[in-house]
């Protein structure tokens, strides 16, 4: 078994003082040598972190011991090492940026666990609706799902009219880990859709628990793995190389920092074109060295995991487990 873990989670649960809790949470991550991204907001908590198995277990136990976060449903995956290069714990207005005028604690779609979703997804009266960004569903999506050409969840109001004719159907929303669907499904209900469901735990949990059948391609993730396999039952490839058009589900960031597009590039073209998506990008004088992964972390020379941490006591922080 691999020695590292990746944890994906969220919870909508009121946090009275987000700034104070951000400092407490940052210190917890430092003590456990975790890296990743955590968002703290008055409405709850959202994070993806990586670390050694024992440290991840301690982290989950610490959050579950807090009554506000006892209901967190962690998605746990194995990894060869850290899937992040840095630790960032930030306070934001929302735990997933949407600007949608809804409150998931008051109303949201009916949650379906992976087994329930698996049984219902092929019902002729059901429509699956992908709530992720266009570059995410370009590399993988559920068979016959409706997708929107949107950059992020903020754009949903501009696209919801595309499914107005489906208001008599059972709508099941899905996303990577479930968090976008909490607000997206609530928004659909507010727009007059009556039978709205959501895949609880998202694509990741569906793959882990029931094998991911009928998820075509790979699932985009927000760490240095870029995409992960989900379907172990009937896997297929739905995307093609941006350069040569051959079937591929290998997504990278263009090596041109000016471009930096999320784009599917096969291994051969990645090597032949130094990880770029166009010849113009290949001529970029600031092109980044292509190492075969297509993942480029920001420069870390001045980075310290203590960045952004402020001890309220003003005393030096000792990181002891």
């Amino acid at each position: 078994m691999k020695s590292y873990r990746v944890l994906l989670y969220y919870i909508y649960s009121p946090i009275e003082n987000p700034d104070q809790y951000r400092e407490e949470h940052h210190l917890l991550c430092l003590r456990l040598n975790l890296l990743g991204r955590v968002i703290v907001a008055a409405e709850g908590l959202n994070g993806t972190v990586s670390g050694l198995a024992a440290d991840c277990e301690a982290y989950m136990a610490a959050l579950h011991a807090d009554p506000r976060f006892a209901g967190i449903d962690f998605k746990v995956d194995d990894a060869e090492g850290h899937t992040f290069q840095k630790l960032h714990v930030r306070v934001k207005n929302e735990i997933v940026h949407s600007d949608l005028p809804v409150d998931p604690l008051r109303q949201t779609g009916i949650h379906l666990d992976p087994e329930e979703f698996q049984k219902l997804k092929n019902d002729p009266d059901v429509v699956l609706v992908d709530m992720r960004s266009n570059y995410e569903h370009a590399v993988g999506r559920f068979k016959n799902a409706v997708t929107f050409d949107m950059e992020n969840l903020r754009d949903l109001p501009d696209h919801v009219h595309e499914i107005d004719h489906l208001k008599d159907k059972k709508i099941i929303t899905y996303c990577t880990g479930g968090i976008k669907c909490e607000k997206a499904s609530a928004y659909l209900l507010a727009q007059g859709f009556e039978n709205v469901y959501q895949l609880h735990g998202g694509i990741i949990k569906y793959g882990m628990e029931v094998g991911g059948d009928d998820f075509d391609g790979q699932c985009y993730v927000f760490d240095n793995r870029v995409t992960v396999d989900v379907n172990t039952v009937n896997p297929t490839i739905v995307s093609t190389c941006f350069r040569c058009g051959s079937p591929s589900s290998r997504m990278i960031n263009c090596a041109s920092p000016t471009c930096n597009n999320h784009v599917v590039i096969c291994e051969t073209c990645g090597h032949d074109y130094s990880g770029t998506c166009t010849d113009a990008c290949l001529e970029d004088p600031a092109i980044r060295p292509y190492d075969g992964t297509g993942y480029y972390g920001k420069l870390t020379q001045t980075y310290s995991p203590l960045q952004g941490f402020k001890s309220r006591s003003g005393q030096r922080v000792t990181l002891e487990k």
Side-chain angles (χ1 to χ4, degrees):
M1 182 178 288
K2 298 174 183 177
S3 56
Y4 280 76
R5 301 288 182 270
V6 185
L7 307 180
L8 173 66
Y9 69 91
Y10 73 90
I11 189 168
Y12 283 96
S13 179
I15 298 176
E16 186 173 341
N17 190 330
D19 289 304
Q20 177 180 324
Y21 181 71
R22 189 215 73 86
E23 294 185 15
E24 296 171 3
H25 196 103
H26 194 164
L27 184 55
L28 172 65
C29 292
L30 290 173
R31 285 175 174 159
L32 295 174
N33 301 305
L34 301 182
L35 300 179
R37 302 186 187 99
V38 179
I39 297 174
V40 180
E43 66 181 10
L45 195 61
N46 173 25
T48 309
V49 297
S50 65
L52 287 167
D55 293 330
C56 286
E57 288 292 334
Y59 180 75
M60 291 189 286
L63 290 189
H64 279 153
D66 188 321
R68 295 172 295 183
F69 313 129
I72 288 179
D73 180 19
F74 287 96
K75 276 73 73 176
V76 184
D77 204 358
D78 295 333
E80 297 286 356
H82 272 298
T83 59
F84 292 92
Q85 295 176 304
K86 301 179 182 181
L87 169 67
H88 292 296
V89 184
R90 296 186 172 103
V91 173
K92 295 192 176 183
N93 292 330
E94 299 178 273
I95 57 174
V96 61
H97 191 22
S98 73
D99 289 336
L100 299 177
V102 295
D103 181 357
L105 291 176
R106 294 186 177 182
Q107 185 181 44
T108 191
I110 298 170
H111 289 67
L112 299 173
D113 65 34
E115 287 189 0
E116 292 171 325
F117 174 84
Q118 187 178 46
K119 293 174 182 176
L120 194 57
K121 64 181 173 60
N122 295 322
D123 186 315
D125 199 38
V126 163
V127 176
L128 305 183
V129 181
D130 196 316
M131 289 299 171
R132 299 172 302 153
S133 302
N134 44 23
Y135 62 86
E136 295 176 77
H137 60 65
V139 75
R141 54 194 176 271
F142 278 107
K143 197 179 301 295
N144 299 320
V146 173
T147 60
F148 300 129
D149 185 17
M150 61 184 185
E151 292 292 328
N152 49 59
L153 194 58
R154 295 194 306 272
D155 299 335
L156 180 58
D158 296 330
H159 293 274
V160 71
H161 69 275
E162 297 171 24
I163 58 171
D164 274 347
H165 62 290
L166 300 173
K167 284 187 175 179
D168 61 333
K169 299 288 187 178
K170 296 176 183 175
I171 303 294
I172 306 180
T173 68
Y174 71 87
C175 58
T176 306
I179 186 170
K180 288 183 178 180
C181 290
E182 299 286 2
K183 290 191 173 181
S185 64
Y187 183 75
L188 292 185
L189 287 167
Q191 297 304 303
F193 291 83
E194 296 182 359
N195 298 308
V196 182
Y197 303 78
Q198 64 187 78
L199 173 56
H200 183 57
I203 300 162
I204 297 298
K205 188 172 184 180
Y206 178 72
M208 289 178 173
E209 295 195 358
V210 296
D213 64 290
D214 289 340
F215 185 82
D216 295 337
Q218 290 191 309
C219 183
Y220 185 94
V221 292
F222 296 88
D223 58 57
N224 62 11
R225 296 172 298 171
V226 187
T227 61
V228 296
D229 291 322
V230 170
N231 189 338
T232 59
V233 179
N234 53 355
T236 187
I237 296 174
V238 295
S239 49
T240 58
C241 176
F242 192 79
R243 281 283 196 174
C244 71
S246 64
S248 177
S249 57
R250 186 173 172 277
M251 179 166 273
I252 67 170
N253 287 339
C254 179
S256 163
T258 306
C259 173
N260 202 44
N261 277 341
H262 303 283
V263 64
V264 175
I265 299 287
C266 70
E267 280 198 45
T268 299
C269 289
H271 178 268
D272 291 348
Y273 299 103
S274 300
T276 60
C277 62
T278 67
D279 290 345
C281 292
L282 186 58
E283 298 301 318
D284 187 341
I287 191 171
R288 298 172 288 200
Y290 177 66
D291 65 359
T293 66
Y295 177 83
Y296 305 96
K298 292 182 180 179
L299 296 177
T300 59
Q301 288 93 330
T302 61
Y303 169 75
S304 162
L306 281 167
Q307 257 183 344
F309 179 77
K310 301 175 183 178
S311 171
R312 289 189 302 281
S313 67
Q315 301 298 312
R316 183 177 178 179
V317 176
T318 302
L319 301 179
E320 297 180 354
K321 290 189 180 182

